[in-house]
Structures are given as C-alpha cells and as structure tokens.
Amino acid sequence: MVITIKEDGTRFGARVGAIIYNEDKTKILIENQSNQLYMFPGGRIDIHEDSQNAISRELKEELNIKTDLKPKYIVEMFLKSPKTKYHEIGFYFVTEINEDLVENNFKSLDSDSNFVWVPIQDLDKYNILAKPVKDKVKNNELTDNTLEHIVYREY
C-alpha cells in the first residue's frame, strides 16, 4: 500500500526519485508521465518501506536496472493545480549509468510511461514536476555528496 492521503481538494504523498546521469554527465533520464508532464524516474513509497529500498525497487520494476544510489535531496513540495493542493515529501537519489542500459523512449516495464534521455542544457524545455530538483541539475549543483533539504512552495 503506497503512502498517499486524499481528501477533498488536497492530497499528500511520499515519493522517491532518481537523478540518473549518463556516463559523461551530459544527459539526464526523465520519465514522460502524460500530457507533457515529466518526472525523475521513481515512484511512491510503500507503507513500512524505507526510501532507499523504495527507489531500488522502483528502478528494478520500471527499468530493470540495479545501480548504486546516493541520497541527495529531501524535498517538501507544495504544489497547486486548478482542483487540488498537493503536498509531497520526496527523497531524491543520484546515480549514473551507461546510457545504453536504457534506450531513448524506453517503455516502462510496469506502466504506460516512457523514459527519455535529455541533454542537461535542454531541461527547461520539459515540464518536470520536481522543479527545484530540475533547477539544481540544470545549474550543475550536484557536485558534492551533501544531503540537502529543500522546501518549495507554490501556495
């Protein structure tokens, strides 16, 4: 059972995401969810599951990959859509893989989404839900191993 709470006009969720670089760190792998909405690969955390196991499970289920993941960001996002205020706590991990392990436009193994490799300099062309993480990647702010806490508010 995933950690998601829904009430009238509001929603809360706990999520994990992976910032996956190619080997020369010029591209990032992102997931096309639908309607031009993109996310970092990952998914919901299950009840009684820690974030490290959740991201490892999600990457195995969706991409059939196993990789060394380092925690980088804990992100509290408060997003507003026309019908819902959404509060999400996200745990984001960093890794790099050989680009050939996931071909461009790879169809997820367990969902309708697909994955694309995007040059870092083109990230602004994509509507990525985790905007504060996208901005950190775009500005090359992932250079050290420090765990960072980010609070991002749209409301």
Side-chain angles (χ1 to χ4, degrees):
M1 180 185 320
V2 297
I3 302 173
T4 299
I5 300 168
K6 296 178 186 178
E7 290 188 13
D8 209 22
T10 191
R11 183 175 171 183
F12 170 82
R15 183 177 197 283
V16 288
I19 303 160
I20 303 175
Y21 286 95
N22 65 345
E23 287 179 300
D24 62 4
K25 294 190 177 182
T26 59
K27 296 179 184 175
I28 294 289
L29 188 67
I30 58 176
E31 181 178 355
N32 184 352
Q33 289 279 307
S34 64
N35 298 329
Q36 301 304 313
L37 177 63
Y38 294 84
M39 302 179 90
F40 291 98
R44 302 275 166 229
I45 300 172
D46 289 336
I47 292 176
H48 306 295
E49 181 179 43
D50 65 71
S51 60
Q52 186 81 44
N53 284 327
I55 191 61
S56 295
R57 173 185 53 77
E58 287 287 347
L59 294 180
K60 182 70 175 163
E61 288 173 0
E62 294 180 354
L63 296 164
N64 198 29
I65 61 172
K66 185 175 180 172
T67 183
D68 182 34
L69 295 149
K70 295 186 178 28
K72 182 60 185 163
Y73 298 115
I74 298 171
V75 182
E76 294 180 70
M77 289 196 305
F78 300 85
L79 306 172
K80 187 173 182 177
S81 70
K83 296 180 181 178
T84 305
K85 287 184 176 178
Y86 184 58
H87 177 189
E88 176 180 277
I89 296 178
F91 300 87
Y92 288 84
F93 296 80
V94 176
T95 193
E96 74 178 56
I97 64 170
N98 182 319
E99 192 174 334
D100 295 335
L101 289 177
V102 180
E103 63 189 50
N104 206 27
N105 286 313
F106 178 81
K107 184 80 168 156
S108 174
L109 299 175
D110 75 342
S111 72
D112 291 333
S113 60
N114 66 306
F115 296 85
V116 293
W117 286 103
V118 174
I120 292 171
Q121 71 266 14
D122 293 343
L123 278 177
D124 277 335
K125 297 177 183 175
Y126 296 86
N127 182 19
I128 297 175
L129 189 61
K131 185 181 180 325
V133 176
K134 175 178 95 170
D135 290 344
K136 294 281 187 179
V137 171
K138 181 183 69 177
N139 296 328
N140 196 26
E141 295 181 31
L142 297 164
T143 54
D144 64 30
N145 290 327
T146 305
L147 180 63
E148 187 176 339
H149 176 225
I150 300 169
V151 177
Y152 175 78
R153 289 186 176 274
E154 291 183 354
Y155 66 89

